[in-house]
Amino acid sequence: MSLLIGNIGSLVTNDPALGEGPLGLLSDAAVVVDGDTVAWVGPAEKAPAADESVDAAGRALLPGFVDSHSHLVFAGDRTAEFNARMSGRAYEAGGIRTTVAATRAASDAELNANLTRYLAEMLRQGTTTVEVKSGYGLSTADEARSLRIAAGHTEETTYLGAHVVGPEFADDPAGYVELVTGEMLEACAPYARWVDVFCERGAFDGEQARAVLTAGMAKGLRPRVHANQLSPGPGVQLAVELGAASADHCTHLTDRDVAALADGGTVATLLPGAEFSTRAPYPDARRLLDAGARVALSTDCNPGSSFTSSMPFCLAVAVREMGMTPDEAVHAATAGGALALRRTDVGRISPGARADLQLLDAPSHVHLAYRPGVPLTAAVWQGGVRKA
Ligand code: NIG
Ligand code: FE
């Protein structure tokens, strides 16, 4: 079956060869989808015929969001912790253990139902690709089942056994790193594409993070790193050195970190939901972009530091608080996320791409930042299938 989406007022292709600027913008455009793939993009009046057609009525069409960082296999919530933080308490990674206890106590069916619900929430807001991490199990069996459940929904699964030291190893962090790089890795690798580590004071230091990442890489997993979130540290340098696809958070960066990101192949993934919900200073996207680094935006959706599933929300905050232009933020939330996952089939609307598309109830992608908090998603297609 083929589908023609015609009368598109403004089309973001993310292919500079197809249109204006880095977003490859076209006005009065049309897109033809064949099965699960984009087959044709061009001026509306030249569009070929198709089996079905949709009238975009002058509205904006853009690639589905690529949310390259989330922690969606969990049970329970942390309302009390959020309340305490909004009454002045500082965010500490230690809250992760509360979610670990709730997650361990939950059945597979409960975890799967939660994950399904949050992915559906994301889809309704235009997100068509989601990376999902483990990290609330912290035992071999609980990490492996988290990833098995995640793998039932997405190919972008990330082994984060090294989120914090598991409760059984509170007095033996070295023993926990041995578990994460040994038996736990063995059990998790079949369900994971990526390996991640929370490189931070109170979690894992540079040496431990290197051990976790290199062990994962030896098993065929590709590295990404929670880096420089709560304080400056070795995470970004390690990520670039090991060729990680992405260094995530990047809130506290030295000039050397910024230069390493600009010169290396590692994407800086910024997660403004975390700073919003922990009342912390935002990362400086302007500094990274001006230095030539490639930037992605993602939700970091998790019950502790960033309980939002909304890419439009993150995008609006990034524009208002982090020095990004609306165009840069839209690029970071689509093509940037794709790059952070090393995907070439998503994050763009050009022939050969997966037909992951979102139609906005707005004339332009700029409205995502201009109209914060307003649900603008009019329609979503995932692999050519209308989902919302
Ligand atoms: O990305 N930084 C570590 N992990 C999560 C927080 C998880 C939690 O607080 O439960 C994050 O912000
Ligand atoms: Fe995270």
Side-chain angles (χ1 to χ4, degrees), residues 69 71 78 91 96 99 136 163 198 226 229 249 274 300 302-305:
H69 183 140
H71 307 247
R78 300 202 336 241
Y91 173 75
I96 291 169
T99 302
Y136 291 123
H163 199 182
F198 187 15
H226 275 75
Q229 175 185 5
H249 287 286
D300 193 16
N302 76 78
S305 64

Side-chain angles (χ1 to χ4, degrees), residues 119-375:
L119 290 173
E121 217 175 83
M122 289 176 158
L123 196 57
R124 285 198 299 275
Q125 299 172 89
T127 302
T128 47
T129 302
V130 186
E131 179 262 17
V132 176
K133 300 174 200 298
S134 68
Y136 291 123
L138 309 189
S139 70
T140 297
D142 287 298
E143 284 295 304
R145 81 163 171 151
S146 296
L147 284 163
R148 184 169 38 76
I149 290 167
H153 296 265
T154 179
E155 26 189 333
E156 303 299 344
T157 52
T158 300
Y159 170 48
L160 182 59
H163 199 182
V164 285
V165 171
E168 293 77 12
F169 289 82
D171 300 323
D172 182 18
Y176 188 68
V177 172
E178 212 177 293
L179 177 68
V180 167
T181 56
E183 177 195 292
M184 192 190 283
L185 170 63
E186 200 71 41
C188 288
Y191 306 110
R193 173 174 283 181
W194 303 95
V195 58
D196 192 348
V197 56
F198 187 15
C199 184
E200 187 66 58
R201 267 185 257 154
F204 299 91
D205 66 21
E207 207 176 307
Q208 293 168 323
R210 177 187 295 276
V212 169
L213 295 170
T214 52
M217 289 161 76
K219 276 270 165 211
L221 306 185
R222 301 172 72 186
R224 44 201 321 107
V225 185
H226 275 75
N228 303 51
Q229 175 185 5
L230 305 175
S231 57
V236 163
Q237 297 292 337
L238 183 64
V240 175
E241 182 198 323
L242 295 181
S246 174
D248 297 52
H249 287 286
C250 292
T251 313
H252 297 271
L253 300 182
T254 63
D255 289 344
R256 212 177 131 247
D257 294 334
V258 173
L261 288 165
D263 297 343
T266 300
V267 174
T269 298
L270 309 182
L271 310 164
E275 281 76 31
F276 181 92
S277 299
T278 60
R279 210 175 257 163
Y282 290 100
D284 189 346
R286 189 74 265 140
R287 180 183 180 205
L288 284 160
L289 288 164
D290 288 347
R294 285 157 321 155
V295 170
L297 281 172
S298 168
T299 61
D300 193 16
C301 187
N302 76 78
S305 64
S306 181
F307 204 3
T308 179
S309 55
S310 173
M311 288 293 278
F313 169 77
C314 294
L315 195 150
V317 173
V319 170
R320 175 62 181 83
E321 302 288 342
M322 289 156 52
M324 299 183 90
T325 67
D327 281 18
E328 286 167 342
V330 166
H331 191 266
T334 52
L339 195 59
L341 293 171
R342 297 291 188 251
R343 293 275 295 264
T344 55
D345 59 332
V346 296
R348 65 182 169 99
I349 302 179
S350 51
R354 232 176 98 90
D356 288 355
L357 318 167
Q358 53 174 324
L359 181 66
L360 298 184
D361 227 335
S364 151
H365 61 281
V366 177
H367 281 230
L368 287 165
Y370 178 38
R371 306 208 61 212
V374 179

Side-chain angles (χ1 to χ4, degrees), residues 7-78:
N7 195 14
I8 302 166
S10 172
L11 173 68
V12 173
T13 66
N14 282 338
D15 184 343
L18 289 179
E20 198 189 309
L23 292 184
L25 279 175
L26 284 170
S27 43
D28 304 317
V31 170
V32 176
V33 171
D34 192 5
D36 62 1
T37 306
V38 175
W40 185 90
V41 173
E45 77 272 9
K46 294 204 176 134
D51 301 327
E52 279 177 26
S53 68
V54 166
D55 181 0
R59 295 174 291 177
L61 189 81
L62 54 155
F65 293 124
V66 180
D67 191 344
S68 60
H69 183 140
S70 84
H71 307 247
L72 293 179
V73 188
F74 66 88
D77 75 15
R78 300 202 336 241

